[in-house]
mmCIF file of all heavy atoms in Angstrom:
data_model
loop_
_atom_site.group_PDB
_atom_site.id
_atom_site.type_symbol
_atom_site.label_atom_id
_atom_site.label_comp_id
_atom_site.label_asym_id
_atom_site.label_seq_id
_atom_site.Cartn_x
_atom_site.Cartn_y
_atom_site.Cartn_z
ATOM 1 N N ARG A 867 198.070 113.811 95.390
ATOM 2 C CA ARG A 867 197.826 112.780 96.396
ATOM 3 C C ARG A 867 198.930 112.736 97.448
ATOM 4 O O ARG A 867 198.681 112.437 98.614
ATOM 5 C CB ARG A 867 197.734 111.399 95.729
ATOM 6 C CG ARG A 867 196.446 111.125 94.986
ATOM 7 C CD ARG A 867 196.474 109.697 94.425
ATOM 8 N NE ARG A 867 195.361 109.433 93.549
ATOM 9 C CZ ARG A 867 194.152 109.051 93.975
ATOM 10 N NH1 ARG A 867 193.924 108.925 95.267
ATOM 11 N NH2 ARG A 867 193.175 108.827 93.113
ATOM 12 N N HIS A 868 200.176 113.000 97.010
ATOM 13 C CA HIS A 868 201.310 112.826 97.910
ATOM 14 C C HIS A 868 201.710 114.097 98.663
ATOM 15 O O HIS A 868 202.731 114.111 99.341
ATOM 16 C CB HIS A 868 202.516 112.277 97.127
ATOM 17 C CG HIS A 868 202.333 110.850 96.715
ATOM 18 N ND1 HIS A 868 201.822 110.496 95.487
ATOM 19 C CD2 HIS A 868 202.544 109.683 97.388
ATOM 20 C CE1 HIS A 868 201.748 109.172 95.395
ATOM 21 N NE2 HIS A 868 202.180 108.672 96.541
ATOM 22 N N LEU A 869 200.897 115.147 98.537
ATOM 23 C CA LEU A 869 201.130 116.307 99.394
ATOM 24 C C LEU A 869 200.916 115.908 100.849
ATOM 25 O O LEU A 869 200.007 115.118 101.162
ATOM 26 C CB LEU A 869 200.183 117.444 99.009
ATOM 27 C CG LEU A 869 200.469 118.126 97.655
ATOM 28 C CD1 LEU A 869 199.374 119.135 97.332
ATOM 29 C CD2 LEU A 869 201.833 118.813 97.674
ATOM 30 N N PRO A 870 201.697 116.431 101.795
ATOM 31 C CA PRO A 870 201.641 115.968 103.195
ATOM 32 C C PRO A 870 200.248 116.048 103.808
ATOM 33 O O PRO A 870 199.840 115.165 104.553
ATOM 34 C CB PRO A 870 202.619 116.914 103.904
ATOM 35 C CG PRO A 870 203.549 117.366 102.826
ATOM 36 C CD PRO A 870 202.749 117.432 101.578
ATOM 37 N N PHE A 871 199.489 117.086 103.489
ATOM 38 C CA PHE A 871 198.187 117.260 104.141
ATOM 39 C C PHE A 871 197.060 116.488 103.455
ATOM 40 O O PHE A 871 195.918 116.544 103.877
ATOM 41 C CB PHE A 871 197.832 118.753 104.219
ATOM 42 C CG PHE A 871 197.837 119.448 102.876
ATOM 43 C CD1 PHE A 871 196.713 119.434 102.054
ATOM 44 C CD2 PHE A 871 198.988 120.105 102.430
ATOM 45 C CE1 PHE A 871 196.736 120.069 100.829
ATOM 46 C CE2 PHE A 871 199.000 120.734 101.194
ATOM 47 C CZ PHE A 871 197.883 120.721 100.388
ATOM 48 N N MET A 872 197.352 115.760 102.388
ATOM 49 C CA MET A 872 196.317 115.034 101.649
ATOM 50 C C MET A 872 196.133 113.598 102.150
ATOM 51 O O MET A 872 195.095 112.991 101.931
ATOM 52 C CB MET A 872 196.640 114.996 100.149
ATOM 53 C CG MET A 872 196.410 116.336 99.473
ATOM 54 S SD MET A 872 194.685 116.845 99.593
ATOM 55 C CE MET A 872 194.757 118.438 98.772
ATOM 56 N N GLY A 873 197.149 113.033 102.769
ATOM 57 C CA GLY A 873 197.011 111.678 103.288
ATOM 58 C C GLY A 873 196.782 110.627 102.213
ATOM 59 O O GLY A 873 196.175 109.584 102.471
ATOM 60 N N GLY A 874 197.239 110.893 100.996
ATOM 61 C CA GLY A 874 197.113 109.915 99.921
ATOM 62 C C GLY A 874 195.765 109.887 99.248
ATOM 63 O O GLY A 874 195.528 109.054 98.368
ATOM 64 N N GLU A 875 194.836 110.738 99.627
ATOM 65 C CA GLU A 875 193.500 110.737 99.029
ATOM 66 C C GLU A 875 193.174 112.109 98.447
ATOM 67 O O GLU A 875 193.680 113.134 98.909
ATOM 68 C CB GLU A 875 192.435 110.375 100.081
ATOM 69 C CG GLU A 875 192.574 108.980 100.655
ATOM 70 C CD GLU A 875 192.338 107.906 99.616
ATOM 71 O OE1 GLU A 875 191.561 108.162 98.668
ATOM 72 O OE2 GLU A 875 192.930 106.818 99.748
ATOM 73 N N LEU A 876 192.306 112.127 97.450
ATOM 74 C CA LEU A 876 191.805 113.379 96.894
ATOM 75 C C LEU A 876 190.471 113.711 97.542
ATOM 76 O O LEU A 876 189.589 112.847 97.613
ATOM 77 C CB LEU A 876 191.607 113.259 95.377
ATOM 78 C CG LEU A 876 192.856 113.217 94.506
ATOM 79 C CD1 LEU A 876 192.434 113.090 93.041
ATOM 80 C CD2 LEU A 876 193.705 114.459 94.692
ATOM 81 N N PRO A 877 190.312 114.940 98.029
ATOM 82 C CA PRO A 877 189.012 115.321 98.585
ATOM 83 C C PRO A 877 187.926 115.232 97.510
ATOM 84 O O PRO A 877 188.199 115.335 96.312
ATOM 85 C CB PRO A 877 189.224 116.782 99.019
ATOM 86 C CG PRO A 877 190.699 116.957 99.113
ATOM 87 C CD PRO A 877 191.290 116.022 98.119
ATOM 88 N N ALA A 878 186.675 115.040 97.939
ATOM 89 C CA ALA A 878 185.555 114.917 97.003
ATOM 90 C C ALA A 878 185.455 116.141 96.106
ATOM 91 O O ALA A 878 185.146 116.033 94.911
ATOM 92 C CB ALA A 878 184.254 114.712 97.775
ATOM 93 N N GLU A 879 185.742 117.330 96.668
ATOM 94 C CA GLU A 879 185.642 118.554 95.872
ATOM 95 C C GLU A 879 186.648 118.542 94.726
ATOM 96 O O GLU A 879 186.330 118.929 93.586
ATOM 97 C CB GLU A 879 185.876 119.798 96.755
ATOM 98 C CG GLU A 879 184.794 120.042 97.789
ATOM 99 C CD GLU A 879 184.973 119.167 99.033
ATOM 100 O OE1 GLU A 879 185.971 118.409 99.088
ATOM 101 O OE2 GLU A 879 184.108 119.224 99.911
ATOM 102 N N LEU A 880 187.884 118.076 95.018
ATOM 103 C CA LEU A 880 188.896 118.029 93.969
ATOM 104 C C LEU A 880 188.564 116.950 92.933
ATOM 105 O O LEU A 880 188.828 117.111 91.745
ATOM 106 C CB LEU A 880 190.277 117.763 94.570
ATOM 107 C CG LEU A 880 190.970 118.975 95.211
ATOM 108 C CD1 LEU A 880 192.334 118.574 95.745
ATOM 109 C CD2 LEU A 880 191.117 120.103 94.197
ATOM 110 N N ASN A 881 187.984 115.859 93.396
ATOM 111 C CA ASN A 881 187.566 114.822 92.446
ATOM 112 C C ASN A 881 186.531 115.355 91.472
ATOM 113 O O ASN A 881 186.577 115.100 90.271
ATOM 114 C CB ASN A 881 186.989 113.617 93.198
ATOM 115 C CG ASN A 881 188.002 112.487 93.320
ATOM 116 O OD1 ASN A 881 188.758 112.233 92.391
ATOM 117 N ND2 ASN A 881 188.018 111.832 94.469
ATOM 118 N N ARG A 882 185.548 116.119 92.023
ATOM 119 C CA ARG A 882 184.518 116.688 91.154
ATOM 120 C C ARG A 882 185.122 117.704 90.205
ATOM 121 O O ARG A 882 184.777 117.766 89.018
ATOM 122 C CB ARG A 882 183.408 117.322 91.998
ATOM 123 C CG ARG A 882 182.499 116.297 92.660
ATOM 124 C CD ARG A 882 181.238 116.963 93.194
ATOM 125 N NE ARG A 882 181.533 117.841 94.318
ATOM 126 C CZ ARG A 882 181.544 117.435 95.594
ATOM 127 N NH1 ARG A 882 181.282 116.159 95.893
ATOM 128 N NH2 ARG A 882 181.830 118.273 96.554
ATOM 129 N N LEU A 883 186.073 118.536 90.718
ATOM 130 C CA LEU A 883 186.730 119.530 89.870
ATOM 131 C C LEU A 883 187.534 118.843 88.773
ATOM 132 O O LEU A 883 187.507 119.254 87.611
ATOM 133 C CB LEU A 883 187.658 120.403 90.721
ATOM 134 C CG LEU A 883 188.492 121.445 89.952
ATOM 135 C CD1 LEU A 883 187.565 122.433 89.244
ATOM 136 C CD2 LEU A 883 189.438 122.177 90.896
ATOM 137 N N LYS A 884 188.227 117.745 89.174
ATOM 138 C CA LYS A 884 189.001 116.989 88.192
ATOM 139 C C LYS A 884 188.097 116.463 87.074
ATOM 140 O O LYS A 884 188.409 116.573 85.881
ATOM 141 C CB LYS A 884 189.704 115.823 88.881
ATOM 142 C CG LYS A 884 190.399 114.851 87.947
ATOM 143 C CD LYS A 884 190.823 113.629 88.745
ATOM 144 C CE LYS A 884 190.766 112.416 87.846
ATOM 145 N NZ LYS A 884 190.893 111.171 88.591
ATOM 146 N N GLY A 885 186.948 115.915 87.454
ATOM 147 C CA GLY A 885 186.018 115.399 86.455
ATOM 148 C C GLY A 885 185.524 116.487 85.530
ATOM 149 O O GLY A 885 185.424 116.298 84.311
ATOM 150 N N SER A 886 185.200 117.648 86.082
ATOM 151 C CA SER A 886 184.720 118.754 85.255
ATOM 152 C C SER A 886 185.797 119.215 84.290
ATOM 153 O O SER A 886 185.526 119.490 83.115
ATOM 154 C CB SER A 886 184.288 119.922 86.149
ATOM 155 O OG SER A 886 183.234 119.531 87.003
ATOM 156 N N MET A 887 187.045 119.309 84.761
ATOM 157 C CA MET A 887 188.137 119.763 83.906
ATOM 158 C C MET A 887 188.412 118.757 82.798
ATOM 159 O O MET A 887 188.691 119.135 81.663
ATOM 160 C CB MET A 887 189.393 119.992 84.750
ATOM 161 C CG MET A 887 189.255 121.169 85.720
ATOM 162 S SD MET A 887 190.720 121.393 86.723
ATOM 163 C CE MET A 887 191.869 121.991 85.493
ATOM 164 N N ARG A 888 188.299 117.463 83.118
ATOM 165 C CA ARG A 888 188.523 116.448 82.096
ATOM 166 C C ARG A 888 187.483 116.574 80.995
ATOM 167 O O ARG A 888 187.789 116.475 79.807
ATOM 168 C CB ARG A 888 188.468 115.047 82.719
ATOM 169 C CG ARG A 888 189.716 114.670 83.485
ATOM 170 C CD ARG A 888 189.422 113.514 84.431
ATOM 171 N NE ARG A 888 189.225 112.276 83.726
ATOM 172 C CZ ARG A 888 190.194 111.364 83.541
ATOM 173 N NH1 ARG A 888 191.406 111.593 83.971
ATOM 174 N NH2 ARG A 888 189.947 110.243 82.906
ATOM 175 N N ARG A 889 186.229 116.787 81.370
ATOM 176 C CA ARG A 889 185.177 116.891 80.363
ATOM 177 C C ARG A 889 185.364 118.122 79.492
ATOM 178 O O ARG A 889 184.990 118.128 78.323
ATOM 179 C CB ARG A 889 183.803 116.883 81.036
ATOM 180 C CG ARG A 889 183.376 115.489 81.470
ATOM 181 C CD ARG A 889 181.950 115.482 81.978
ATOM 182 N NE ARG A 889 181.838 116.031 83.313
ATOM 183 C CZ ARG A 889 182.064 115.334 84.421
ATOM 184 N NH1 ARG A 889 182.404 114.070 84.351
ATOM 185 N NH2 ARG A 889 181.944 115.894 85.597
ATOM 186 N N LEU A 890 185.956 119.169 80.069
ATOM 187 C CA LEU A 890 186.238 120.357 79.268
ATOM 188 C C LEU A 890 187.421 120.122 78.334
ATOM 189 O O LEU A 890 187.503 120.715 77.262
ATOM 190 C CB LEU A 890 186.545 121.550 80.184
ATOM 191 C CG LEU A 890 185.342 122.157 80.927
ATOM 192 C CD1 LEU A 890 185.828 123.196 81.920
ATOM 193 C CD2 LEU A 890 184.362 122.781 79.945
ATOM 194 N N ALA A 891 188.329 119.244 78.743
ATOM 195 C CA ALA A 891 189.572 119.070 77.988
ATOM 196 C C ALA A 891 189.444 118.141 76.804
ATOM 197 O O ALA A 891 190.233 118.213 75.875
ATOM 198 C CB ALA A 891 190.676 118.546 78.921
ATOM 199 N N VAL A 892 188.479 117.240 76.846
ATOM 200 C CA VAL A 892 188.399 116.235 75.794
ATOM 201 C C VAL A 892 187.437 116.677 74.710
ATOM 202 O O VAL A 892 186.579 117.522 74.924
ATOM 203 C CB VAL A 892 187.949 114.872 76.365
ATOM 204 C CG1 VAL A 892 188.903 114.396 77.430
ATOM 205 C CG2 VAL A 892 186.531 114.934 76.907
ATOM 206 N N PRO A 893 187.543 116.099 73.521
ATOM 207 C CA PRO A 893 186.572 116.379 72.467
ATOM 208 C C PRO A 893 185.181 115.932 72.899
ATOM 209 O O PRO A 893 185.011 115.177 73.855
ATOM 210 C CB PRO A 893 187.077 115.530 71.291
ATOM 211 C CG PRO A 893 188.492 115.196 71.608
ATOM 212 C CD PRO A 893 188.598 115.174 73.088
ATOM 213 N N LYS A 894 184.190 116.381 72.165
ATOM 214 C CA LYS A 894 182.807 116.050 72.523
ATOM 215 C C LYS A 894 182.581 114.551 72.601
ATOM 216 O O LYS A 894 181.860 114.064 73.463
ATOM 217 C CB LYS A 894 181.842 116.678 71.512
ATOM 218 C CG LYS A 894 181.704 118.184 71.655
ATOM 219 C CD LYS A 894 180.673 118.721 70.691
ATOM 220 C CE LYS A 894 180.516 120.227 70.838
ATOM 221 N NZ LYS A 894 179.508 120.771 69.895
ATOM 222 N N VAL A 895 183.168 113.805 71.664
ATOM 223 C CA VAL A 895 182.965 112.362 71.700
ATOM 224 C C VAL A 895 183.523 111.778 72.983
ATOM 225 O O VAL A 895 182.947 110.856 73.567
ATOM 226 C CB VAL A 895 183.598 111.692 70.467
ATOM 227 C CG1 VAL A 895 185.112 111.834 70.450
ATOM 228 C CG2 VAL A 895 183.216 110.220 70.415
ATOM 229 N N GLY A 896 184.659 112.324 73.458
ATOM 230 C CA GLY A 896 185.218 111.849 74.717
ATOM 231 C C GLY A 896 184.306 112.129 75.884
ATOM 232 O O GLY A 896 184.147 111.301 76.785
ATOM 233 N N ALA A 897 183.667 113.296 75.873
ATOM 234 C CA ALA A 897 182.744 113.646 76.952
ATOM 235 C C ALA A 897 181.574 112.678 77.000
ATOM 236 O O ALA A 897 181.106 112.302 78.077
ATOM 237 C CB ALA A 897 182.246 115.077 76.758
ATOM 238 N N VAL A 898 181.116 112.251 75.826
ATOM 239 C CA VAL A 898 180.013 111.282 75.777
ATOM 240 C C VAL A 898 180.414 110.001 76.480
ATOM 241 O O VAL A 898 179.689 109.491 77.348
ATOM 242 C CB VAL A 898 179.614 110.988 74.313
ATOM 243 C CG1 VAL A 898 178.632 109.818 74.252
ATOM 244 C CG2 VAL A 898 179.006 112.226 73.663
ATOM 245 N N PHE A 899 181.588 109.459 76.147
ATOM 246 C CA PHE A 899 182.024 108.206 76.760
ATOM 247 C C PHE A 899 182.361 108.396 78.241
ATOM 248 O O PHE A 899 182.141 107.489 79.050
ATOM 249 C CB PHE A 899 183.223 107.630 76.002
ATOM 250 C CG PHE A 899 182.855 107.084 74.647
ATOM 251 C CD1 PHE A 899 183.293 107.706 73.485
ATOM 252 C CD2 PHE A 899 182.060 105.964 74.536
ATOM 253 C CE1 PHE A 899 182.941 107.209 72.245
ATOM 254 C CE2 PHE A 899 181.701 105.453 73.287
ATOM 255 C CZ PHE A 899 182.138 106.080 72.143
ATOM 256 N N GLU A 900 182.906 109.549 78.584
ATOM 257 C CA GLU A 900 183.189 109.827 79.995
ATOM 258 C C GLU A 900 181.898 109.825 80.816
ATOM 259 O O GLU A 900 181.848 109.277 81.917
ATOM 260 C CB GLU A 900 183.896 111.179 80.125
ATOM 261 C CG GLU A 900 185.335 111.173 79.643
ATOM 262 C CD GLU A 900 186.302 110.843 80.760
ATOM 263 O OE1 GLU A 900 186.256 111.512 81.809
ATOM 264 O OE2 GLU A 900 187.094 109.907 80.577
ATOM 265 N N GLU A 901 180.858 110.438 80.282
ATOM 266 C CA GLU A 901 179.584 110.462 80.997
ATOM 267 C C GLU A 901 178.996 109.060 81.128
ATOM 268 O O GLU A 901 178.238 108.778 82.054
ATOM 269 C CB GLU A 901 178.581 111.378 80.270
ATOM 270 C CG GLU A 901 178.930 112.854 80.324
ATOM 271 C CD GLU A 901 178.821 113.431 81.734
ATOM 272 O OE1 GLU A 901 178.258 112.749 82.615
ATOM 273 O OE2 GLU A 901 179.319 114.546 81.965
ATOM 274 N N LEU A 902 179.348 108.170 80.196
ATOM 275 C CA LEU A 902 178.850 106.796 80.253
ATOM 276 C C LEU A 902 179.716 105.899 81.136
ATOM 277 O O LEU A 902 179.475 104.693 81.217
ATOM 278 C CB LEU A 902 178.783 106.210 78.839
ATOM 279 C CG LEU A 902 177.678 106.775 77.948
ATOM 280 C CD1 LEU A 902 177.836 106.282 76.519
ATOM 281 C CD2 LEU A 902 176.304 106.376 78.482
ATOM 282 N N GLY A 903 180.726 106.469 81.795
ATOM 283 C CA GLY A 903 181.510 105.711 82.765
ATOM 284 C C GLY A 903 182.848 105.212 82.274
ATOM 285 O O GLY A 903 183.543 104.497 83.000
#
């Protein structure tokens, strides 16, 4: 977020990538709750 060219925000593409990586990183039960919000 604090990189000079980011302006304090994450681009939508990085947000989606972040979400995908999180779902890969957590156990299956975590993915279930993540998908539920």
Side-chain angles (χ1 to χ4, degrees):
R867 285 182 188 276
H868 289 94
L869 290 174
F871 56 86
M872 286 299 178
E875 297 295 331
L876 288 180
E879 293 81 2
L880 281 181
N881 260 322
R882 286 194 292 271
L883 176 61
K884 172 190 148 192
S886 299
M887 292 179 70
R888 283 161 72 96
R889 283 187 284 277
L890 287 173
V892 301
K894 287 184 179 180
V895 65
V898 171
F899 289 112
E900 288 269 307
E901 291 292 348
L902 288 171

